[in-house]
Amino acid sequence: MARVIVVGAGVVGLSCAVRLLEAGHHVDVVARDLPLETTSAVAAALWYPYRAFPHERVTAWSRSSYGELETLAGRHDTGVRMLAGTELHRRPMADPWWRDAVPTLTRVSAFGPPYADGWSFVAPVIEMPVYLRWLAGRVEALGGTLTRMALTSLPDRAEVVVNATGLGARRMADDPSLMPVRGQVVYVEQVGLDRWWLDESGPVYVVPRSRDIVVGGTDVEGEWDRRPDPDVAKVILERAVELVPELARATVVGHRVGLRPARPEVRLELEQQGRTRVVHCYGHGGAGVTLSWGCADEVTRLVGD
Ligand SMILES: Cc1cc2nc3c(=O)[nH]c(=O)nc-3n(C[C@H](O)[C@H](O)[C@H](O)COP(=O)(O)OP(=O)(O)OC[C@H]3O[C@@H](n4cnc5c(N)ncnc54)[C@H](O)[C@@H]3O)c2cc1C
């Protein structure tokens, strides 16, 4: 069994750490930002393969994560629930490219203008503050450690390093192909909503949680500003009310921005750096939660090899 340092404590790093510990490895997680301070904490977070490539690997990782998240939804303490929801389109569409990753997907016809097509399916919805705490607790319960530490480069004397630094991999892996895609969300109070809604053209998404509803969003490539913009928030809410009219009476309770770590392709591969085996696992774009368990399984296989 290997001694592994996982760099990064977002959903990707923590899921990798859990799987590696379950496989019997010795794991220490180090991260500049602790779980609730990461981009992962801002995720909506609906299971949905968005802005992540290549399609074939992403579909496979999404399918395995769906299964694992469905299992976790059966426990009361994980923050994961299975919720039905609807995605609407403004023009007729073929089935989504990730169709094989969900057990059932039903075409819907009960919609009016401006929509012209849509489908419903049951998806995991993950309340990230609860879920990240649960993942961190699982790391510790399995004998791993989690330490705050900002690194300037990946550890070079470790046996195995997992690079799960998200956008930080621009520096940690010297990878200029990694770009931020800024996402702004508005939190509103719960008004009894128990389905998620998505209009991919915005993107507009409405994701109910236990006490509030996450309303998004934006996806601005190359934008690094993490301050919520009040004008953008206004537009987000207007578009969301068009999709889900009940939101018109919901009080706004918060605003947040996160920078999705986008890359032409997710980088999940082994690289030998001197005596250290580095497994890179970053660049999950708008789908880090959706891909987390599938990627963690593959990272664990690479470490085992
Ligand atoms: C508004 C918004 C909505 C989203 N909605 C969804 C959704 O519905 N579904 C979904 O699947 N995904 C969603 N995402 C995408 C998802 O949030 C990301 O894909 C995911 O968080 C990436 O996880 P990560 O662990 O790779 O990175 P991060 O969460 O960014 O974690 C990176 C970790 O690496 C550490 N690190 C970086 N550099 C260093 C360094 N030099 N030294 C030490 N540590 C370092 C950081 O401190 C952090 O701990 C959304 C994102 C946004 C912004």
Side-chain angles (χ1 to χ4, degrees):
M1 289 296 130
R3 291 186 77 87
V4 185
I5 299 178
V6 175
V7 187
V11 70
V12 173
L14 293 178
S15 309
C16 289
V18 167
R19 277 292 186 264
L20 288 161
L21 285 157
E22 286 171 348
H25 300 290
H26 179 106
V27 178
D28 297 304
V29 181
V30 296
R32 183 193 58 214
D33 308 298
L34 294 180
L36 296 186
E37 303 158 356
T38 61
T39 302
S40 299
V42 185
L46 175 66
W47 176 100
Y48 190 88
Y50 177 63
R51 267 194 182 256
F53 311 94
H55 285 174
E56 203 175 310
R57 287 181 97 189
V58 165
T59 302
W61 290 326
S62 302
R63 188 171 41 231
S64 345
S65 302
Y66 187 109
E68 181 64 23
L69 290 166
E70 192 174 26
T71 305
L72 294 179
R75 299 182 44 146
H76 72 281
D77 55 346
T78 57
V80 184
R81 286 190 299 163
M82 299 302 287
L83 277 192
T86 302
E87 172 172 355
L88 293 175
H89 290 269
R90 288 162 192 252
R91 59 194 164 90
M93 298 285 289
D95 275 357
W97 53 265
W98 43 263
R99 167 68 190 86
D100 290 347
V102 283
T104 52
L105 185 113
T106 315
R107 290 273 169 178
V108 293
S109 49
F111 46 74
Y115 300 109
D117 207 349
W119 45 74
S120 290
F121 60 99
V122 173
V125 169
I126 303 100
E127 194 148 345
M128 291 310 286
V130 179
Y131 184 57
L132 288 168
R133 270 194 208 102
W134 179 82
L135 279 175
R138 182 101 183 101
V139 168
E140 287 184 6
L142 287 164
T145 66
L146 171 55
T147 306
R148 185 193 289 280
M149 196 183 297
L151 305 180
T152 50
S153 59
L154 293 175
D156 57 2
R157 300 219 176 140
E159 188 182 346
V160 180
V161 171
V162 175
N163 174 16
T165 52
L167 202 50
R170 264 179 80 89
R171 175 171 183 179
M172 301 302 269
D174 193 15
D175 186 345
S177 74
L178 198 59
M179 289 296 288
V181 175
R182 182 183 186 279
Q184 179 166 335
V185 291
V186 181
Y187 300 102
V188 301
E189 64 172 0
Q190 246 301 0
V191 286
L193 198 70
D194 59 0
R195 291 179 70 84
W196 54 265
W197 290 89
L198 181 63
D199 167 358
E200 216 204 351
S201 66
V204 184
Y205 50 87
V206 176
V207 182
R209 308 198 293 190
S210 55
R211 292 204 198 123
D212 58 8
I213 302 170
V214 187
V215 181
T218 58
D219 56 352
V220 187
E221 220 171 294
E223 175 65 62
W224 289 90
D225 190 343
R226 287 178 56 192
R227 286 168 304 179
D229 177 334
D231 293 334
V232 170
K234 200 164 159 263
V235 175
I236 289 174
L237 283 172
E238 281 166 7
R239 290 187 321 196
V241 170
E242 257 186 78
L243 183 66
V244 185
E246 301 98 286
L247 292 178
R249 60 188 163 87
T251 307
V252 172
V253 293
H255 300 269
R256 225 162 157 194
V257 168
L259 305 179
R260 302 177 182 91
R263 197 174 182 274
E265 294 194 349
V266 175
R267 185 172 185 203
L268 202 173
E269 64 181 0
L270 181 69
E271 184 188 19
Q272 192 72 39
Q273 291 187 0
R275 299 212 329 247
T276 301
R277 286 191 298 146
V278 176
V279 180
H280 296 283
C281 187
Y282 64 83
H284 299 80
V289 186
T290 307
L291 307 180
S292 53
W293 290 111
C295 289
D297 286 336
E298 192 164 328
V299 165
T300 305
R301 270 196 302 278
L302 288 173
V303 170
D305 288 347

